[in-house]
Amino acid sequence: MPKITISNQGHKVVNYKLNNAAPLTVLAILQENNIDWMHACGGKGKCTSCKCIIVSGEVNLGAKTQVEIDFIDSGKILDFQQMTCQALVFGNVGIKVPEKNKLPGVNYTN
Ligand code: FES
């Protein structure tokens, strides 16, 4: 079973069932597993607050969407980041919450 590992939440592991015919976004998987993750626009690709730092497994993420490319071009997300509401996931991935997107009340590690 593939997994998403959140390195700065104590290497929290989120297992998920992969369906290649209907892949899910990182954010959808996090939400299914009751992981608190900032998503100010509700996952509509408008705010970038859901972005993550890709720690490992970038090859297991879908290609960046045009929305992400536009935000990279405007400097709102960086090349090594993806928006969890946009990024489809197809295997093991390691991610990290950027400093400015940490939620109050959630315990973060290094
Ligand atoms: S939740 Fe707003 S862009 Fe992803």
Side-chain angles (χ1 to χ4, degrees):
M1 185 175 274
K3 64 187 180 196
I4 296 171
T5 304
I6 308 169
S7 62
N8 63 351
Q9 285 190 8
H11 295 277
K12 186 178 286 179
V13 173
V14 179
N15 294 302
Y16 67 96
K17 187 172 179 182
L18 177 60
N19 177 353
N20 280 315
L24 296 173
T25 64
V26 173
L27 183 63
I29 293 168
L30 296 175
Q31 289 179 323
E32 277 184 0
N33 287 277
N34 300 313
I35 305 294
D36 285 332
W37 197 277
M38 192 180 290
H39 58 289
C41 74
K44 295 187 172 89
K46 300 198 180 298
C47 69
T48 75
S49 70
C50 66
K51 66 188 170 191
C52 66
I53 297 167
I54 309 300
V55 176
S56 62
E58 186 172 2
V59 296
N60 292 324
L61 292 170
K64 288 186 168 86
T65 65
Q66 188 59 51
V67 167
E68 289 177 295
I69 292 167
D70 290 346
F71 277 122
I72 288 171
D73 289 347
S74 67
K76 297 216 166 123
I77 64 172
L78 303 174
D79 270 342
F80 55 89
Q81 297 177 330
Q82 279 199 248
M83 292 155 63
T84 61
C85 74
Q86 299 293 302
L88 297 174
V89 61
F90 299 92
N92 295 338
V93 176
I95 62 174
K96 190 173 176 179
V97 184
E99 195 62 35
K100 73 180 260 189
N101 298 95
K102 290 181 175 177
L103 288 168
V106 174
N107 290 326
Y108 295 97
T109 57
N110 289 327

